[in-house]
Amino acid sequence: MSEETSAEGDHRRASIMTALREGVRRVDDLALACGVSTMTIRRDLQVLERRNEIRRVRGGAVPVDAWTFDHRLGRSAAAKDAIAAKLLTLVPDKGGIGFDGSTTVHRLARRLKEQPTLDLTAVTTGFETFHELSRTPGCRAYATGGTADPHTGSLVGPLAEVTLRQFALHTCFLSATHLDGSVGSTEFTADEAAVKRVLAAVSERTVLAVDSSKLARRAVATCLSLDEVDVLVSDLDPGDDRLEPYRGLVEII
C-alpha cells in the first residue's frame, strides 16, 4: 500500500484539511499543527492538489470546495470503513434509530443492507443518508425538514429540531468535527451542534463515531459533553493511548 492510500496518510491529510478550513495556510504552520515535517506536508499537499481538494498559493495552500459531501466522503475512507463495521454491531434489529448527516455515519447507512432482517424506523438530517436508508429493506426512512448548513449540507434549524422531537429513538449515531477530553464533541457551526443535541436528547443511547484525526482538537461550537455520550467508536484499537483522555468516561469500541 502506498503512503497516499494508507490509513495513516488519510488521517494526516484529513488533519491538514481541517487546519486549512480553520485558517492555517502556510506550510510551516501546517507542519506544526499536524506534528510532521514540512517535507511531509508538501507531499500531502501534492496529493490533495491532484484530488482537487486544495489550491496551492505562495507558501502554502487554501481549500477548494472543502465542504462538499463527495469530497468529505472520500476523506479518511479506510478509517470510516473500519468505524462503519463497528457501528453495524450496535444497530438494533428493531426500533427507532437516528443518523446525523455526516459522511462517517453515511457509511453505516450504506452497510445496513448487510443485516438479514430489519424492522427499523430511521430519521436523519442528511440528504444522502436518507437516500441510502430509503433503499434499505426493512427500514422506514424519514428526513427532517430544515435548511442546509452552509458548511456540511446537513439539515438544521428549528424545523429540523421540531421534526426530531416527534421521535423516541433507541439509538442515535453521530459524528463530530472534533472531540476533546475536556469539552467533549464540537462542531464548526452552532446550528449543526444544536440539531445533534436534539438527536441525542430523543435517544436512549448516543453513539459517537470519530476517526483518530479528530481527537484532541476543538472546533468553535460545543455539542455533547462526554457524560452525554454512551459509546465512543473510532478506527483505533480500544487500547490505543490516543483514547486515554476518554477512558472511564464512555464505553470505547
Side-chain angles (χ1 to χ4, degrees), residues 77-249:
K80 290 174 182 177
D81 285 338
I83 290 170
K86 294 181 179 182
L87 292 177
L88 196 61
T89 67
L90 300 174
V91 177
D93 292 332
K94 60 182 179 180
I97 55 176
F99 292 73
D100 69 11
S102 67
T103 56
T104 300
V105 172
H106 178 267
R107 268 186 159 72
L108 168 62
R110 280 183 171 180
R111 297 196 61 170
L112 276 185
K113 299 179 182 67
E114 300 174 15
Q115 299 289 73
T117 304
L118 293 174
D119 183 15
L120 292 174
T121 296
V123 60
T124 181
T125 59
F127 290 110
E128 295 81 0
T129 299
F130 170 73
H131 290 312
E132 288 291 340
L133 294 170
S134 64
R135 296 193 294 265
T136 301
C139 182
R140 293 174 294 279
Y142 295 86
T144 67
T147 58
D149 185 279
H151 292 294
T152 65
S154 298
L155 293 167
V156 297
L159 184 56
E161 294 178 28
V162 167
T163 302
L164 290 172
R165 293 190 190 279
Q166 309 311 303
F167 292 86
L169 304 176
H170 179 282
T171 302
C172 69
F173 297 92
L174 310 175
S175 188
T177 299
H178 291 310
L179 181 64
D180 177 86
S182 299
V183 301
S185 68
T186 53
E187 302 294 336
F188 275 116
T189 70
D191 286 343
E192 182 81 9
V195 167
K196 291 186 180 184
R197 284 196 295 270
V198 175
L199 259 172
V202 301
S203 301
E204 293 181 29
R205 179 176 65 167
T206 297
V207 177
L208 185 66
V210 292
D211 70 69
S212 55
S213 70
K214 299 180 176 183
L215 298 176
R217 305 190 67 173
R218 302 181 184 184
V220 67
T222 58
C223 186
L224 297 175
S225 60
L226 287 171
D227 61 5
E228 296 174 298
V229 176
D230 297 294
V231 185
L232 173 61
V233 179
S234 81
D235 53 308
L236 301 173
D237 180 276
D240 193 289
D241 289 344
R242 284 169 285 183
L243 295 171
E244 196 60 37
Y246 320 102
R247 210 175 307 284
L249 301 175

